[in-house]
Amino acid sequence: MSIVQEAEIESYLEISNEFGSIFVDLLIDARPHEETLSRVMSDLFDFTAGRINAILTLMREGALWDAEMLMRTVLETTVKQAYICSGTSEQRAVSLDEYCNALPELNALSQSVKAKKSLKATAGSDVGTESLIEALILPDEREAEIRERWPRKTRATISSKWSFTQMLSSIEQQSTAMPGFKALGGLITNYGISSHLLHGDESGIGIIKDRRRREEEERALMDLAHCYNLLDGIVVCTMVSAIAMKNAVGGPVELLHAAHSKWLELVDSRRKVAVELAERWTKPQ
């Protein structure tokens, strides 16, 4: 059973869809003269949209922790979009070249090395398993070609640039970033929580157990606040995608500002849940 009323979910999705429409319009306008950028951004946006649909399904079923883990994927992909679109046109060209050409080869090389180790570890297992692993192993000459094109130091530099923390740091340093980018900062705590959940470590398990131990009324408020946080994350990520595209290709800002204002009003209207929780947690025992 859904923790949040469907009408409330729809109010968030209406704003998210506004940002999505702005993104698509900018994409269509840019496609004739920014073919590679448009293709990459479209692929990333479509991927994000699919994960958002899954998050909504999980949230409606009350599976908030599973939705939280999936939100990490949405956040990482959104940061990637913002990173690709940041900086000058020359910097964007470098980012696109790395994304389209360098990263696939570096990932293929890394997978090949790991697959060789796995094949040794699973020697003598069933043929099907070995065949799946062997499919990831590159021919020796292909590995050598990649290593020559991307020496170890260069590989390390590129991989570091495309790490989540480095991309986020780069975005924050861009003077062209619109205020909406600051909203990403509010999701970083969630990113850390989702890491614990994904790894199934003591902190991640502890967070879930702590929620379960709460009294029913308090737990219900926490679940409701959790849902609002997930919905805010969806809006923020679609907003940042639209802002990133606008920064890269230009265009009017009025629609972005209008949608952003609607979201701020919606957030303010939900503030009472956070206030009630804060009062509970700060009240003298």
Side-chain angles (χ1 to χ4, degrees), residues 220-254:
L221 278 172
M222 293 176 74
D223 284 346
L224 183 59
H226 196 164
C227 287
Y228 289 151
N229 191 266
L230 288 167
L231 291 167
D232 280 333
I234 289 171
V235 173
V236 168
C237 287
T238 52
M239 174 177 66
V240 169
S241 295
I243 293 172
M245 197 67 189
K246 188 271 169 194
N247 278 358
V249 302
V253 299
E254 289 79 12

Side-chain angles (χ1 to χ4, degrees), residues 56-84:
L56 292 169
T57 298
L58 290 167
M59 192 179 70
R60 288 179 171 118
E61 294 296 322
L64 304 185
W65 300 115
D66 300 279
E68 190 68 63
M69 287 187 276
L70 204 49
M71 180 58 76
R72 173 180 168 138
T73 302
V74 172
L75 179 57
E76 288 181 334
T77 309
T78 301
V79 167
K80 201 173 278 105
Q81 286 181 297
Y83 177 71
I84 289 171

Side-chain angles (χ1 to χ4, degrees), residues 181-213:
F181 277 135
K182 296 179 181 178
L184 279 174
L187 301 180
I188 301 307
T189 299
N190 304 65
Y191 183 83
I193 291 173
S194 64
S195 293
H196 291 300
L197 293 169
L198 282 165
H199 296 143
D201 60 26
E202 67 283 354
S203 295
I205 294 171
I207 291 169
I208 296 175
K209 290 174 67 176
D210 177 74
R211 178 78 59 87
R212 287 174 179 166
R213 284 196 294 260

Side-chain angles (χ1 to χ4, degrees), residues 93-204:
V94 171
S95 295
L96 285 168
D97 180 62
E98 289 177 347
Y99 180 83
C100 296
N101 299 307
L103 291 178
E105 291 196 336
L106 300 193
N107 290 335
L109 177 61
S110 177
Q111 284 184 338
S112 181
V113 171
K114 291 176 181 177
K116 288 178 179 178
K117 294 178 181 178
S118 296
L119 195 61
K120 289 181 180 179
T122 58
S125 62
D126 64 279
V127 177
T129 300
E130 291 188 352
S131 296
L132 289 172
I133 296 174
E134 287 173 348
L136 298 174
I137 298 176
L138 299 174
D140 291 342
E141 59 271 20
R142 177 61 175 148
E143 277 199 15
E145 179 187 336
I146 294 174
R147 292 180 190 279
E148 183 178 357
R149 182 179 297 114
W150 311 105
R152 182 188 297 272
K153 187 175 181 179
T154 303
R155 296 199 303 271
T157 299
I158 292 174
S159 296
S160 176
K161 280 177 61 179
W162 286 86
S163 68
F164 179 80
T165 53
Q166 286 299 314
M167 286 191 292
L168 196 60
S169 175
S170 176
I171 293 165
E172 290 173 344
Q173 293 172 16
Q174 295 297 331
S175 60
T176 56
M178 291 178 65
F181 277 135
K182 296 179 181 178
L184 279 174
L187 301 180
I188 301 307
T189 299
N190 304 65
Y191 183 83
I193 291 173
S194 64
S195 293
H196 291 300
L197 293 169
L198 282 165
H199 296 143
D201 60 26
E202 67 283 354
S203 295

Side-chain angles (χ1 to χ4, degrees), residues 4-31:
V4 180
Q5 295 294 319
E6 192 62 32
E8 292 184 290
I9 296 176
E10 289 301 322
S11 63
Y12 277 91
L13 294 184
E14 180 180 341
I15 298 172
S16 178
N17 289 338
E18 284 190 39
F19 284 119
S21 295
I22 294 169
F23 174 90
V24 171
D25 288 343
L26 291 169
L27 190 74
I28 292 172
D29 290 342
R31 188 167 287 151

